Every structure is written in structure tokens, then in C-alpha cells.
Amino acid sequence: MKIIYMGTPDFAVPCLERLIKDGYDVCLAVTQPDKAQGRKMILTPSPVKVTAEKNGVEVFQPVTLKSDEAYDKLKSYNPDFIVVAAYGKILPKRILDIPKYACINVHGSLLPKYRGAAPIQRAVIDGMKTSGVTTMLMGEGLDTGDMLLKYETEIGENETAGELFDRLAEASPDLLVKTLEDFALSKITPEKQDESKATYASMLSKDEALIDWNEPSDIIHNKIRGMSPWPVAFTHYDGKKLKIYQSEKTDKSTSALPGTVSADKNSIYVSCSDGKLLKILSLQAEGAKRLDAKQFSAGHRDLNGCVLG
């Protein structure tokens, strides 16, 4: 079975590795062009490119898929399937029509909920109890194609988007392989998405990461979880930005103003608008390293009683 694989971030790596390991003919890996990253703006290859080159798979990094060059190159391989996992761009119709069987997308949500760029993060921010992965036939719209198979899992109360991201990435290969094999044998009946239940998961931005302590504790907790490890929810302490990576809901009550810190040598709690204390587990002061609550408290003796934000 000949496959063109299209993907870019870490989420797309386990599926590519599984296809190679299982002996599929991955004839080409298509990924985004190298991007400048870090303070020194060093050109950095995508995780999919790194994985493909390590396994001897040819890599193609077109700036656009709309060009004749991109179309001609992909068509020249005569693939059975084009598999897409978090590639980052919508495929033109003439590319969708290239493979013998289909273009199949691996999407990190239970469609039709959370179409778009940040389905895992948005599900956590919204306080969803379950998430999953859907394999689907690709259409011209954004994650609007017919669904094939699904994997569903519960989201932990304190699980971050990063942790859920890793779990779904590791669960995706089994679902993908079963989808490819069953689809080729006509064992799957594609299911149309219910448009009335569709939601859109827009890309996260740093601007929305600011914590408002006048919101209820569960809303703040979900924002912290959903924005970890990027862009990371933040507040202000002593006039500087304070990033918060992990938190934990508690049953502890308080009458203090929202944003007021209650800290001792082992723990940090912050009051929220619903009168509950949110336990802070991991945080990072501006210009400093990420620390757990005990380490942070030890270095900030004036933390107790201050008001964040």
C-alpha cells in the first residue's frame, strides 16, 4: 500500500512512525517549510521532517499546495492513500482527487465538535469530559468530511492539554491503521457529520492567556490546563508576568478578594470569584525558571497575602 504522508507537529509523528514500522510504502512525507524559532531565530525542521529523514523517507516542503509543481509531484507517486495529520493547510480539490482510494485525515477531536486548528486545547478550556480522535475523508471544507472511525477517552480533571495531546497522539496510529485496512476492503461506511452539532476550535493566542481572577475557579482551572504548555496562562505578580502551568481544584473556601494568595512553605492557593481556593502546582516568574509551588514559595517570602493581577 503506497502512502503519501502529510503532517507537521509532534502530534503527527506517531502515525508516521507506525506506518513505517508496519511496512507501508511511505513514498513521500509532505510537511511545512522549516521555520525560524527561538531568540536566535534558527531555522528549525518540523518533527515530521526529522522523523521522515531519520527513516529514509523523501521530504517535500512546498510553500503552497496550489501550484502545478506541488500537484505534479504528488500525482507522480500514484499513491493509494494520502494520509494527513495536523499538516496545517487545506488541500485543494485536485490534490484530494489524486489517491486511488482516498485522502484520510487524522483529527484530534470527536467530530463534528472542535473542527479547526486547536481541538485538543479548546476541549480542555471548555471543560469537556471526553475527547478523542476521528479519522475522516477529506473534503474541500475545514474538517467537514465524512467520518470513518473514532477513538474516545475521558479527560482527567487536572489533565493539561499537553498531556491529553500526547495521549491522543499515541492512540492515533492504531485507529489510522485499522481505518486504512478496513477502508481498502470496503468494510467502513462513511458517516456524514451533523452540521447542527459542529463547533470550531480556533488557534490559541497569547492575548487570551491572561487570567481573570474574577471568574469562577473551574473556568480559571480549565484555562490553565488548556493553555499548558502553550501559550501558558498568566497573571501579574509584583508588576511582572507570572506564568501558571498547572493547577488543581479544591474544596477549600475563602472570603478573600479574588486573586488573593494564601501561601505557606509547601503550597500556593489563590482565591477565585466563587469563594473557592485554586491550588497552584507549577509556575514561572518572568525571567526565571519554571518551579513547583514549594520551590517558588521558598524564594518569594512576600507571596502570602498579595493580590495577583
Side-chain angles (χ1 to χ4, degrees), residues 34-177:
D34 296 359
K35 292 186 177 180
Q37 295 183 357
R39 293 181 180 179
K40 295 184 179 180
M41 299 301 286
I42 298 173
L43 276 179
T44 306
S46 73
V48 163
K49 179 180 180 179
V50 172
T51 302
E53 290 184 335
K54 184 175 68 175
N55 288 278
V57 176
E58 181 186 351
V59 174
F60 181 44
Q61 297 176 275
V63 175
T64 177
L65 292 173
K66 297 178 181 180
S67 68
D68 290 338
E69 176 195 1
Y71 171 75
D72 291 342
K73 184 169 182 67
L74 269 61
K75 186 173 176 57
S76 70
Y77 287 89
N78 296 314
D80 293 306
F81 286 99
I82 292 179
V83 173
V84 181
Y87 173 62
K89 290 184 179 179
I90 294 178
L91 276 60
K93 185 179 186 306
R94 64 175 180 169
I95 289 182
L96 295 176
D97 292 337
I98 287 176
K100 175 183 176 181
Y101 291 108
C103 282
I104 290 180
N105 185 29
V106 182
H107 185 72
S109 82
L110 297 173
L111 291 171
K113 291 182 179 291
Y114 299 103
R115 298 170 176 173
I120 298 171
Q121 297 92 327
R122 293 292 177 190
V124 175
I125 290 171
D126 290 348
M128 298 297 292
K129 302 300 183 183
T130 61
S131 183
V133 180
T134 304
T135 52
M136 58 181 286
L137 296 176
M138 295 191 70
E140 294 183 72
L142 182 62
D143 300 324
T144 58
D146 292 354
M147 301 177 293
L148 299 174
L149 297 177
K150 290 185 179 182
Y151 163 80
E152 185 171 351
T153 184
E154 291 187 1
I155 302 175
E157 182 178 78
N158 298 309
E159 188 171 23
T160 66
E163 292 166 342
L164 179 59
F165 183 99
D166 291 342
R167 285 205 298 117
L168 294 183
E170 291 303 320
S172 297
D174 285 344
L175 190 71
L176 172 61
V177 168

Side-chain angles (χ1 to χ4, degrees), residues 5 11 97 129 177 189 196 228 283:
Y5 190 83
F11 181 82
D97 292 337
K129 302 300 183 183
V177 168
T189 301
S196 68
S228 179
L283 60 173

Side-chain angles (χ1 to χ4, degrees), residues 263-282:
D264 55 35
K265 64 180 181 179
N266 294 314
S267 307
I268 298 173
Y269 297 90
V270 184
S271 58
C272 304
S273 67
D274 55 358
K276 292 184 178 180
L277 288 173
L278 187 65
K279 188 174 184 179
I280 307 302
L281 304 178
S282 178

